[in-house]
Amino acid sequence: MTRPAAPPLLRPDGVVLLTDRRATRGDLVDVVAGAARGGVRWVVLREKDLPRAERAALAVALRAALADTGGSLIVAGPDPLDGDAVHLPAAGPYPPPAVGLVGRSCHDAAELARLTTEDYVTLSPVWPTRSKPGYGPPLRPDGLRDLIRRSPVPVLALGGVETPEQVTACAEAGAVGVAVLGAIMRAVDPTEAAATLASAFPRTPSTDAGPEETT
């Protein structure tokens, strides 16, 4: 029996922040809180090198930092760290765990064809990315548009998104959001960086009012 799809407001959209504590100029929790003040409502906790106890404590701190703005935390990997939202790699696991919200990283049509009960996907890399140099080849907006047409679920564009013009190009290709790491994690002012990117994306119910809590 398949799990019902999540309601639209429970799927990430707009500017979605991926964490990387090694890239920040300050404390990761402060950076995420700053990005939330700039309009980010969805954050994906990576930091997969940390022991589970440390990562779970970080998840608690990030959920608290997002609470004031109605933001939600998604955890990369099959373990939701006491939450209810995960983002999985293309390699697995299949089928996805039975949690409230499931996303998956995809890169081509074959990976999209393997989807089962996932609620959304990321498609990457759209452009060359400093976080993963040599990763690709990049889809560019035309390749992104083609894969979005093949996707059975909403798509976040990922990889090298650093400017408002790139955000607009992803939206015009059909992406419901953009997943961003370096442009915010490395920013001198994460709030300003997040606001600049968020202002380029079409307004949606969740970016206007914040999503329902999923974690």
Side-chain angles (χ1 to χ4, degrees), residues 12-18 87 104 106 120-127 139-141 143-145 147-148 154-162 166-181 201:
D13 58 9
V15 177
V16 178
L17 178 60
L18 309 181
H87 186 89
R104 190 179 295 278
C106 291
Y120 75 92
V121 296
T122 59
L123 285 172
S124 65
V126 182
W127 286 280
L139 296 169
R140 307 290 181 179
L144 175 66
R145 181 179 293 106
L147 289 179
I148 286 174
V155 169
L156 302 177
L158 168 63
V161 180
E162 298 187 348
Q166 289 173 313
V167 172
T168 299
C170 291
E172 290 176 347
V176 301
V178 292
V180 175
L181 191 154
F201 213 91

Side-chain angles (χ1 to χ4, degrees), residues 15-36 40 42-47 62 130-131 161-162 180-191 193-194 197:
V15 177
V16 178
L17 178 60
L18 309 181
T19 72
D20 183 352
R21 71 190 188 283
R22 293 189 175 93
T24 66
R25 296 170 180 264
D27 178 74
L28 177 61
V29 176
D30 291 341
V31 170
V32 169
V40 167
W42 295 89
V43 175
V44 178
L45 171 60
R46 295 165 75 245
E47 320 307 327
L62 291 176
R130 286 187 287 169
S131 300
V161 180
E162 298 187 348
V180 175
L181 191 154
I184 295 176
M185 286 284 113
R186 300 188 186 100
V188 174
D189 185 340
T191 300
L197 295 177

